[in-house]
Amino acid sequence: VAIALSTRHIVQKLCEYGHSPGVLVACGGVAIRNPLYIQAHADATGCPVAVVNEEEAVSLGAAMLGACAASDNDDDSSLASIMKKMAPRAHVVHPSTNTRLRTFYQQKYAVHLRMIDDQKTYQKLMSSV
């Protein structure tokens, strides 16, 4: 839950600076093998999470870039076109509509923010040592 709350903090900061991520994207082993981890991120952030069904996402991305670099410059060889051809399907995990769970994450997030502030206080206290 702590990682999901940290993700929510990042999303909140992005929103404060004018960015509005509508969907989070998760890929790799943890995303594929741990649905509870993904559901916690959807619930904590309030954002849907698209889970890419590819364990070797970094390698696949490198292969896509390589295919783009090796191709001629027609419309069919654009990076967007190559990604459409090579990318695996994703499934989307939506935030829960359970009111109690939403309240839980709201309160946990308030605690999370308080812990961040407390940590800053502790760092300041210890900075002179």
Side-chain angles (χ1 to χ4, degrees):
V1 173
I3 295 171
L5 293 170
S6 292
T7 301
R8 178 176 174 171
H9 192 212
I10 292 167
V11 169
Q12 179 183 336
K13 289 296 179 185
L14 286 169
C15 291
E16 287 175 16
Y17 286 95
H19 305 285
S20 182
V23 176
L24 305 179
V25 178
C27 59
V30 172
I32 294 169
R33 289 189 220 105
N34 194 336
L36 183 60
Y37 177 86
I38 298 302
Q39 187 64 59
H41 276 74
D43 294 339
T45 62
C47 297
V49 179
V51 180
V52 179
N53 297 316
E54 174 59 55
E55 286 204 33
E56 297 297 333
V58 173
S59 298
L60 179 59
M64 289 175 182
L65 291 172
C68 185
S71 64
D72 51 10
N73 290 329
D74 63 6
D75 286 342
D76 199 41
S77 64
S78 70
L79 183 56
S81 176
I82 289 169
M83 288 171 64
K84 285 179 186 174
K85 292 176 192 171
M86 295 177 69
R89 294 276 178 198
H91 67 277
V92 178
V93 176
H94 294 277
S96 173
T97 58
N98 181 302
T99 306
R100 286 187 65 199
L101 189 59
R102 286 182 180 211
T103 301
F104 168 81
Y105 275 106
Q106 194 65 26
Q107 291 173 338
K108 285 294 268 188
Y109 187 59
V111 170
H112 183 78
L113 293 177
R114 177 68 185 266
M115 290 172 63
I116 291 170
D117 289 340
D118 289 347
Q119 181 62 32
K120 290 175 184 175
T121 301
Y122 304 147
Q123 287 173 336
K124 188 175 179 181
L125 285 170
M126 296 305 296
S127 66
S128 64
V129 175

